[in-house]
Amino acid sequence: RSDQGPHMSLRGRSACVIGAGVVGVATARALALRGADVVVLERMARAGQGTSARNSQVVHGGMYYPKGSLKAECCVKGRRELYQFCRTHNVELKRREKLIVATSEAQVAALQSIFERSLVNGLTAANGDGLEWLSGEEARALEPELRCVRALRSPATGVLDGHGYLTALVGDFEGHGGAIAFNTLVQEVLPPSDGASPGTQIEVVTEDGYSTGFDMVINCAGLYAVEVARRTRHGAHDWLPKARFAKGNYFKLEGCRTPFRRLIYPVPEEAGLGVHVTVDIGGQARFGPDVEWLSVTDPAAIDYSVDPARANSFYDAIRAYWPGLPDKSLEPDFSGVRPKVDSPGVQDFAIYGPMHHKSPGLVHAIGIESPGLTSSLALGELLAGAAAGE
């Protein structure tokens, strides 16, 4: 089966993807499907042990992101591709639906903005992903324990088996001739010097001093992406943002069950979507994430433990839409860290290619956070095309 579509063939060309998270493997798969000889270099012992392993596994609808942003484009396109991929590869995925709720009249304007943005991003009833307005009564008819004055219902939001999805991606990639080298740390990337002859390759040097040349190199190193980019001999790196990390803590219910069958999201807050309720593929409810800005810039120094004291703010946030949350029912679950782009303006995926650093075939993917999982197949195609010079 060929998924190459109209893209150029890359037969006879070699590629290296740095990072075996879900976006890295999706990128490697996209390159392999076009015929390239691809190797993925991963610092950990297994695929998907970084950002990909520490999130809520939600398949997002794509209604939050500004028109023209990569997040808007890749989330909507990637979500549709992801549903198709999961069907054809027997990956468990459930459409849980999502209710985005306004708990006061003052928040209804924010819902209206989300609704208008969804239309701009192509979410319509005809496509099966359009948002539907609900009154407070209609929302409570669906979720009796919910408190809100208005809500938006997203029929296309779901949850998936993230491990199963990554396993299927890896299998597809390896089935098309790709290989992953684990426990392999990239020390340096050496682009061809100015004036190099056409066809000169990009050298990737690993920690053991071994050097290999590739026609294309794509940096999908997640939390380490900025560090890898700075290890690339581009000369000045004035185009490259600083690394900034936002930790998101999650809590789970103990001693009671969630009353919700759907995902419940409050109106978004700065740097996140608010403390929301998700119900995973196994039926386990969790709450989060919050936003905890970290002072560390070295991913190896991140402390992933969840401070139980943070539950105090969770109770307040959750009871705004679920007043019946019992006392002492929240226990620390896990945390994840989002690689943010430390730059002014709206946060977006940041793709840095030859127009930034003048090195053909070399692409850096920076700030690949939520909705990276949902967007992964579309991002993989985009990054493969950027490396190929499309």
Side-chain angles (χ1 to χ4, degrees), residues 41-66:
L41 304 182
E42 168 56 46
R43 65 187 295 131
M44 306 292 281
R46 291 179 293 169
Q49 295 302 294
T51 307
S52 298
R54 292 178 171 271
N55 61 71
S56 57
Q57 314 290 289
V58 171
V59 180
H60 290 285
M63 71 287 293
Y64 294 110
Y65 314 109

Side-chain angles (χ1 to χ4, degrees), residues 24-380:
V25 178
T27 302
R29 171 182 176 270
L31 290 162
L33 287 170
R34 298 190 193 191
D37 296 321
V38 190
V39 63
V40 178
L41 304 182
E42 168 56 46
R43 65 187 295 131
M44 306 292 281
R46 291 179 293 169
Q49 295 302 294
T51 307
S52 298
R54 292 178 171 271
N55 61 71
S56 57
Q57 314 290 289
V58 171
V59 180
H60 290 285
M63 71 287 293
Y64 294 110
Y65 314 109
K67 178 184 179 182
S69 66
L70 286 178
K71 285 189 176 182
E73 174 188 341
C74 292
C75 183
V76 175
K77 183 174 184 289
R79 186 241 310 147
R80 292 168 180 166
E81 294 174 345
L82 183 56
Y83 273 111
Q84 176 64 25
F85 181 93
C86 289
R87 281 193 295 269
T88 57
H89 291 75
N90 297 314
V91 176
E92 190 173 9
L93 185 153
K94 295 180 179 178
R95 289 188 184 238
R96 293 278 191 208
E97 298 191 350
K98 172 167 68 177
L99 299 182
I100 310 169
V101 300
T103 58
S104 68
E105 292 294 340
Q107 294 182 344
V108 174
L111 286 189
Q112 181 64 38
S113 295
I114 293 170
F115 181 76
E116 293 172 358
R117 191 169 287 175
S118 74
L119 297 177
V120 171
N121 290 347
L123 277 63
T124 65
N127 289 328
D129 53 13
L131 301 187
E132 175 189 356
W133 279 100
L134 300 176
S135 66
E137 292 76 11
E138 289 170 328
R140 283 188 292 276
L142 297 175
E143 300 288 358
E145 294 287 324
L146 182 64
R147 175 186 174 274
C148 67
V149 297
R150 297 292 300 275
L152 290 172
R153 172 180 166 269
S154 169
T157 300
V159 293
L160 85 164
D161 173 4
H163 176 73
Y165 171 51
L166 182 58
T167 299
L169 275 180
V170 170
D172 224 13
F173 167 58
E174 293 178 339
H176 285 83
I180 304 178
F182 296 108
N183 299 309
T184 303
L185 179 65
V186 172
Q187 187 68 37
E188 197 171 25
V189 179
L190 307 175
S193 59
D194 291 340
S197 61
T200 302
Q201 292 187 315
I202 305 163
E203 295 290 324
V204 177
V205 183
T206 54
E207 190 176 38
D208 58 7
Y210 191 73
S211 178
T212 308
F214 298 93
D215 299 313
M216 297 168 284
V217 173
I218 304 94
N219 170 14
C220 294
L223 295 171
Y224 290 89
V226 170
E227 178 184 332
V228 169
R230 292 199 180 282
R231 290 182 179 184
T232 305
R233 291 190 186 177
H234 288 307
H237 290 86
D238 52 0
W239 48 269
L240 185 64
K242 296 179 181 178
R244 192 181 187 201
F245 301 140
K247 182 179 178 181
N249 299 279
Y250 291 85
F251 284 77
K252 61 185 177 181
L253 281 175
E254 287 291 337
C256 65
R257 292 180 59 84
T258 175
F260 303 116
R261 294 184 297 121
R262 294 165 181 81
L263 281 60
I264 310 296
Y265 279 57
V267 169
E269 61 183 36
E270 183 182 1
L273 298 180
V275 174
H276 47 264
V277 185
T278 61
V279 183
D280 67 18
I281 206 75
Q284 171 71 46
R286 60 176 50 92
F287 300 85
D290 61 357
V291 178
E292 178 187 352
W293 291 106
L294 302 182
S295 59
V296 301
T297 57
D298 178 5
I302 292 174
D303 178 4
Y304 284 98
S305 63
V306 177
D307 180 0
R310 299 187 75 85
N312 295 330
S313 62
F314 272 66
Y315 281 108
D316 293 339
I318 297 164
R319 283 173 174 156
Y321 54 82
W322 181 23
L325 173 67
D327 289 336
K328 300 180 180 180
S329 59
L330 296 180
E331 293 290 337
D333 192 3
F334 72 96
S335 73
V337 174
R338 287 160 278 178
K340 295 284 188 177
V341 176
D342 189 10
S343 61
V346 176
Q347 289 280 317
D348 198 7
F349 299 145
I351 310 301
Y352 295 98
M355 66 178 293
H356 298 93
H357 50 62
K358 314 302 181 186
S359 300
L362 179 58
V363 178
H364 300 284
I366 309 294
I368 308 301
E369 52 149 346
S370 180
L373 175 65
T374 305
S375 305
S376 54
L377 293 173
L379 269 172

